[in-house]
PDB file of all heavy atoms in Angstrom:
ATOM      1  N   PHE A   6     110.493 192.536  -9.397  1.00  0.00           N
ATOM      2  CA  PHE A   6     111.441 191.934 -10.341  1.00  0.00           C
ATOM      3  C   PHE A   6     111.257 190.422 -10.293  1.00  0.00           C
ATOM      4  O   PHE A   6     111.256 189.832  -9.206  1.00  0.00           O
ATOM      5  CB  PHE A   6     112.891 192.227  -9.921  1.00  0.00           C
ATOM      6  CG  PHE A   6     113.343 193.648 -10.104  1.00  0.00           C
ATOM      7  CD1 PHE A   6     113.000 194.632  -9.187  1.00  0.00           C
ATOM      8  CD2 PHE A   6     114.143 194.003 -11.184  1.00  0.00           C
ATOM      9  CE1 PHE A   6     113.438 195.936  -9.337  1.00  0.00           C
ATOM     10  CE2 PHE A   6     114.595 195.300 -11.343  1.00  0.00           C
ATOM     11  CZ  PHE A   6     114.241 196.270 -10.424  1.00  0.00           C
ATOM     12  N   GLY A  36     125.932 198.232  -1.233  1.00  0.00           N
ATOM     13  CA  GLY A  36     126.891 197.347  -1.875  1.00  0.00           C
ATOM     14  C   GLY A  36     128.070 198.130  -2.409  1.00  0.00           C
ATOM     15  O   GLY A  36     128.015 199.358  -2.519  1.00  0.00           O
ATOM     16  N   ILE A  55     115.652 195.792 -19.862  1.00  0.00           N
ATOM     17  CA  ILE A  55     116.068 194.486 -19.341  1.00  0.00           C
ATOM     18  C   ILE A  55     116.088 193.486 -20.494  1.00  0.00           C
ATOM     19  O   ILE A  55     115.375 193.646 -21.490  1.00  0.00           O
ATOM     20  CB  ILE A  55     115.154 194.000 -18.199  1.00  0.00           C
ATOM     21  CG1 ILE A  55     113.710 193.812 -18.668  1.00  0.00           C
ATOM     22  CG2 ILE A  55     115.223 194.956 -17.021  1.00  0.00           C
ATOM     23  CD1 ILE A  55     112.805 193.170 -17.625  1.00  0.00           C
ATOM     24  N   GLU A  56     116.946 192.478 -20.361  1.00  0.00           N
ATOM     25  CA  GLU A  56     117.092 191.496 -21.439  1.00  0.00           C
ATOM     26  C   GLU A  56     116.384 190.186 -21.135  1.00  0.00           C
ATOM     27  O   GLU A  56     116.250 189.335 -22.010  1.00  0.00           O
ATOM     28  CB  GLU A  56     118.575 191.200 -21.705  1.00  0.00           C
ATOM     29  CG  GLU A  56     119.199 192.133 -22.723  1.00  0.00           C
ATOM     30  CD  GLU A  56     119.477 193.518 -22.157  1.00  0.00           C
ATOM     31  OE1 GLU A  56     120.182 193.598 -21.150  1.00  0.00           O
ATOM     32  OE2 GLU A  56     118.975 194.507 -22.728  1.00  0.00           O
ATOM     33  N   ILE A  96     114.312 228.624 -10.224  1.00  0.00           N
ATOM     34  CA  ILE A  96     113.971 227.484  -9.367  1.00  0.00           C
ATOM     35  C   ILE A  96     112.472 227.191  -9.453  1.00  0.00           C
ATOM     36  O   ILE A  96     112.052 226.049  -9.623  1.00  0.00           O
ATOM     37  CB  ILE A  96     114.390 227.788  -7.912  1.00  0.00           C
ATOM     38  CG1 ILE A  96     115.906 227.954  -7.804  1.00  0.00           C
ATOM     39  CG2 ILE A  96     113.873 226.743  -6.958  1.00  0.00           C
ATOM     40  CD1 ILE A  96     116.723 226.869  -8.461  1.00  0.00           C
ATOM     41  N   ILE A 147     116.025 221.083  -4.489  1.00  0.00           N
ATOM     42  CA  ILE A 147     115.121 221.523  -5.559  1.00  0.00           C
ATOM     43  C   ILE A 147     114.754 220.346  -6.461  1.00  0.00           C
ATOM     44  O   ILE A 147     113.593 220.182  -6.870  1.00  0.00           O
ATOM     45  CB  ILE A 147     115.763 222.652  -6.399  1.00  0.00           C
ATOM     46  CG1 ILE A 147     116.014 223.899  -5.545  1.00  0.00           C
ATOM     47  CG2 ILE A 147     114.901 222.993  -7.618  1.00  0.00           C
ATOM     48  CD1 ILE A 147     114.786 224.503  -4.922  1.00  0.00           C
ATOM     49  N   ILE A 149     114.542 217.262  -5.630  1.00  0.00           N
ATOM     50  CA  ILE A 149     113.562 216.441  -4.906  1.00  0.00           C
ATOM     51  C   ILE A 149     112.177 217.087  -4.977  1.00  0.00           C
ATOM     52  O   ILE A 149     111.177 216.422  -5.242  1.00  0.00           O
ATOM     53  CB  ILE A 149     114.005 216.236  -3.442  1.00  0.00           C
ATOM     54  CG1 ILE A 149     115.283 215.390  -3.397  1.00  0.00           C
ATOM     55  CG2 ILE A 149     112.893 215.577  -2.625  1.00  0.00           C
ATOM     56  CD1 ILE A 149     115.923 215.301  -2.021  1.00  0.00           C
ATOM     57  N   THR A 191     106.354 205.125  -1.774  1.00  0.00           N
ATOM     58  CA  THR A 191     107.302 204.020  -1.914  1.00  0.00           C
ATOM     59  C   THR A 191     108.648 204.608  -2.309  1.00  0.00           C
ATOM     60  O   THR A 191     108.721 205.437  -3.215  1.00  0.00           O
ATOM     61  CB  THR A 191     106.830 203.045  -3.009  1.00  0.00           C
ATOM     62  OG1 THR A 191     105.483 202.649  -2.730  1.00  0.00           O
ATOM     63  CG2 THR A 191     107.721 201.822  -3.087  1.00  0.00           C
ATOM     64  N   THR A 196     122.373 204.338  -1.802  1.00  0.00           N
ATOM     65  CA  THR A 196     123.117 205.324  -1.012  1.00  0.00           C
ATOM     66  C   THR A 196     124.277 204.647  -0.293  1.00  0.00           C
ATOM     67  O   THR A 196     124.303 203.426  -0.136  1.00  0.00           O
ATOM     68  CB  THR A 196     122.195 206.014   0.022  1.00  0.00           C
ATOM     69  OG1 THR A 196     122.918 207.048   0.681  1.00  0.00           O
ATOM     70  CG2 THR A 196     121.673 205.037   1.069  1.00  0.00           C
ATOM     71  N   GLU A 232     125.296 187.090   5.089  1.00  0.00           N
ATOM     72  CA  GLU A 232     126.175 186.930   3.926  1.00  0.00           C
ATOM     73  C   GLU A 232     127.588 187.450   4.243  1.00  0.00           C
ATOM     74  O   GLU A 232     127.759 188.596   4.657  1.00  0.00           O
ATOM     75  CB  GLU A 232     125.560 187.698   2.753  1.00  0.00           C
ATOM     76  CG  GLU A 232     126.387 187.800   1.519  1.00  0.00           C
ATOM     77  CD  GLU A 232     126.722 186.448   0.913  1.00  0.00           C
ATOM     78  OE1 GLU A 232     125.822 185.585   0.849  1.00  0.00           O
ATOM     79  OE2 GLU A 232     127.872 186.273   0.493  1.00  0.00           O
TER      80      GLU A 232
END
Side-chain angles (χ1 to χ4, degrees):
F6 289 80
I55 62 173
E56 271 75 56
I96 297 311
I147 297 300
I149 294 171
T191 307
T196 185
E232 173 61 43

